[in-house]
């Protein structure tokens, strides 16, 4: 006996992948879920942006390597122009640079194409609720990268400046856990714009170069 659907509103999803042989079967399978409507499919980032503009859309399931505009740039544009749309990356690439670039661009979830249908639908539902879902391999690589990459200009070994506010420390701790801006906003009950302001102030005060450097600083400070 199936569990009752708690939220009767169906999630509106876009599937983006440059390979029709991947995109079309994936859209068909997701469309079988009782709470998901695949409202559009896209072969590149420009098609994603056009489909979202035509909206409404809740979640984009995004490939990374696409022509014209890749998934990372499309994610960045969506984060800036349509912050209410969640992005879940679904890709064959799980290297450090791809993961960090996608999360820094605003993706709330990151799965590899080894993920099963249940994993993907679970990630879509979580993303729509503002929750971050990372493939276990991705999460392990993210933390390993933060621990092993050489510090940027020695910053990871420096104590945090005394003028960092309690809220900025909270934000740094959540970055250290691998959470994207949207999930941080949800956890702290603030807007994504406010999260970005805290991050900008934090990076400037602590001389943090990028998100990977922030994860290292959080680990070094015992915040993650």
């Amino acid at each position: 006996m199936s569990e009752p659907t708690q939220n009767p509103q169906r999630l509106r999803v876009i599937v983006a992948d440059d390979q029709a042989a991947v995109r079309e079967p994936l859209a068909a399978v997701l469309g079988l879920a009782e709470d998901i409507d695949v409202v559009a499919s896209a072969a590149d980032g420009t098609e994603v942006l056009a489909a979202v503009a035509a909206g409404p859309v809740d979640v984009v399931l995004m490939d990374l390597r696409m022509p014209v505009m890749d998934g990372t740039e499309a994610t960045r544009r969506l984060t800036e122009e349509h912050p209410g749309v969640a992005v879940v990356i679904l890709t064959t690439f799980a290297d450090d640079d791809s993961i960090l670039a996608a999360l820094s661009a605003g993706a709330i979830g990151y799965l590899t194409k080894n993920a099963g249908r249940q994993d993907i639908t679970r990630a879509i539902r979580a993303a729509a609720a503002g929750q971050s879902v990372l493939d276990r391999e991705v999460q392990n690589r993210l933390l390993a990268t933060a621990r092993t990459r050489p510090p940027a200009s020695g910053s990871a070994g420096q104590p945090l400046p005394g003028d960092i506010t309690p809220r900025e420390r909270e934000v740094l701790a959540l970055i250290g856990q691998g959470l994207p801006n949207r999930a941080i906003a949800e956890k702290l009950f603030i807007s994504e714009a406010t999260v970005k302001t805290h991050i900008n102030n934090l990076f400037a005060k602590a001389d943090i170069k990028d998100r990977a450097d922030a994860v290292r600083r959080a680990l070094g400070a015992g915040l993650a």
Side-chain angles (χ1 to χ4, degrees):
M1 181 175 180
S2 61
E3 296 181 0
T5 302
Q6 295 183 359
N7 183 357
Q9 182 177 351
R10 294 170 67 87
L11 300 176
R12 297 157 298 200
V13 176
I14 293 174
V15 175
D17 195 295
D18 63 324
Q19 298 183 40
V22 173
R23 182 176 67 246
E24 293 173 2
L26 181 57
V29 168
L30 291 177
L32 296 176
E34 63 181 8
D35 58 343
I36 292 176
D37 280 331
V38 178
V39 296
S41 60
D44 59 62
T46 60
E47 292 186 6
V48 171
L49 294 176
V52 170
V57 175
D58 298 304
V59 181
V60 176
L61 191 62
M62 184 91 73
D63 188 22
L64 282 183
R65 301 294 194 267
M66 296 185 293
V68 186
M69 181 187 294
D70 66 21
T72 300
E73 179 59 24
T75 299
R76 184 175 293 108
R77 291 276 301 274
L78 285 175
T79 300
E80 294 173 354
E81 301 171 16
H82 303 278
V85 177
V87 177
V88 176
I89 301 299
L90 180 64
T91 180
T92 57
F93 299 93
D95 59 281
D96 300 342
D97 291 340
S98 295
I99 295 168
L100 292 171
L103 295 179
S104 296
I108 193 171
Y110 197 114
L111 302 176
T112 67
K113 288 184 177 177
N114 291 326
R117 180 178 64 85
Q118 290 186 341
D119 295 324
I120 296 171
T121 54
R122 189 181 302 117
I124 289 172
R125 292 170 185 137
Q131 300 168 5
S132 180
V133 175
L134 301 178
D135 183 280
R136 183 174 296 277
E137 177 188 356
V138 169
Q139 189 172 34
N140 290 341
R141 288 188 67 88
L142 182 65
L143 293 175
T145 298
R147 291 187 172 98
T148 60
R149 277 192 176 181
S153 302
S155 64
Q158 299 174 3
L160 295 175
D163 60 344
I164 286 182
T165 67
R167 178 62 88 190
E168 289 164 356
R169 290 179 69 90
E170 287 181 303
V171 170
L172 180 60
L174 293 172
I175 292 174
Q177 295 173 27
L179 299 186
N181 291 357
R182 182 184 175 93
I184 293 173
E186 291 285 341
K187 280 187 171 292
L188 299 182
F189 302 101
I190 57 179
S191 70
E192 286 189 68
T194 301
V195 171
K196 290 180 181 178
T197 298
H198 286 315
I199 290 174
N200 289 338
N201 292 338
L202 173 65
F203 280 26
K205 290 177 182 179
D207 191 27
I208 295 174
K209 307 303 180 184
D210 54 31
R211 213 169 182 94
D213 192 24
V215 174
R216 289 192 293 271
R217 295 296 293 276
L219 289 167
L223 298 177

